[in-house]
Amino acid sequence: VKIQGQNKEMLAAACQMFLGKTEAEIAHIALETLEGHQRAIMAHMTVEEIYKDRQKFSEQVFKVASSDLVNMGISVVSYTLKDIHDDQDYLHSLGKARTAQVQKDARIGEAEAKRDAGIREAKAKQEKVSAQYLSEIEMAKAQRDYELKKAAYDIEVNTRRAQADLAYQLQVAKTKQQIEEQ
C-alpha cells in the first residue's frame, strides 16, 4: 500500500488519519484492515472455495479493502495471498484427498494407455499377418497363372512341332512316292 499524494482529497484523508503515526503503525493499520476484510470474505465462502479458487478470494478482498483504504488515503498497489492454512489441518487433508484422487486417476490413465497400446499393437500384428498372407496368396496366384500359361504355350509348341514333324514325314513320303513313280 502507499499514501496517495497526487489526489488532494486522499492526501487530506491520510493526513487526518495518520498524522503523528510512524510508518510501522500505518502499515499495521493497513494490515489489520486487509485482514478484517479477509475474515469478512471468508465468512461468505466455503473453505473448499477459498482453497481451490484463491484468485477469486484475492479479488474479492482486494475490491472490498481497496474502497475502505481509499477512504483512509491509502491506495493498494499490490495484494497477494502468501499462504492459506488452518490449525486443524483441514486444508492439508483436502490436499491429501485431492492428491490421492490425482494419483488414482494417473494409475487408471496409465493402465488405460497400456491397454490401448496393447490393443493397437495386436491390431498392427494382425494387419501385418493378414497383409503377409494376402501377399503370399497373390504370389501363389501369379505362380499358378504363369504355370498355366507356360503349359498352354508348351502344348501349342509341341502341337506345332508334332505337326511340323508329321508334315516333314508326309513330305518325305510324297517325295519318295514321286521318285518311285518316276
Side-chain angles (χ1 to χ4, degrees), residues 22-181:
T22 66
E23 202 174 305
E25 290 173 320
I26 296 170
H28 183 70
I29 291 169
L31 179 66
E32 284 186 354
T33 303
L34 285 168
E35 286 176 350
H37 288 293
Q38 281 181 339
R39 282 189 288 278
I41 299 298
M42 285 174 154
H44 297 291
M45 292 178 75
T46 66
V47 175
E48 289 82 4
E49 286 176 327
I50 295 167
Y51 186 70
K52 291 179 183 172
D53 197 355
R54 294 176 186 206
Q55 181 67 31
K56 177 183 172 188
F57 177 67
S58 291
E59 287 171 0
Q60 287 184 359
V61 173
F62 181 79
K63 187 172 85 176
V64 174
S66 289
S67 63
D68 206 13
L69 289 170
V70 163
N71 292 336
M72 294 182 206
I74 298 174
S75 65
V76 179
V77 176
S78 172
Y79 174 78
T80 56
L81 289 174
K82 196 167 49 169
D83 187 25
I84 296 178
H85 65 279
D86 65 309
D87 295 336
Q88 284 74 36
D89 230 11
Y90 179 74
L91 294 172
H92 184 67
S93 298
L94 281 179
K96 281 184 179 179
R98 182 66 187 132
T99 299
Q101 181 64 39
V102 167
Q103 288 173 344
K104 175 185 159 195
D105 292 347
R107 285 192 304 272
I108 289 170
E110 185 179 346
E112 286 175 348
K114 284 181 181 177
R115 178 201 64 205
D116 292 347
I119 289 170
R120 284 192 301 273
E121 186 177 335
K123 281 184 180 179
K125 283 181 182 177
Q126 184 180 9
E127 288 173 5
K128 176 186 171 194
V129 169
S130 293
Q132 211 170 7
Y133 286 152
L134 286 174
S135 175
E136 289 174 9
I137 288 170
E138 290 302 315
M139 286 175 29
K141 282 181 184 178
Q143 180 69 29
R144 180 200 65 200
D145 291 347
Y146 166 76
E147 288 175 4
L148 285 173
K149 285 183 182 181
K150 184 177 182 288
Y153 292 142
D154 287 348
I155 290 171
E156 189 178 333
V157 167
N158 289 338
T159 302
R160 298 271 169 109
R161 188 176 293 140
Q163 286 174 346
D165 286 348
L166 289 175
Y168 175 75
Q169 289 174 3
L170 180 63
Q171 188 62 42
V172 167
K174 283 182 185 178
T175 304
K176 276 186 184 178
Q177 191 178 16
Q178 283 176 353
I179 291 175
E180 283 179 11
E181 284 177 12

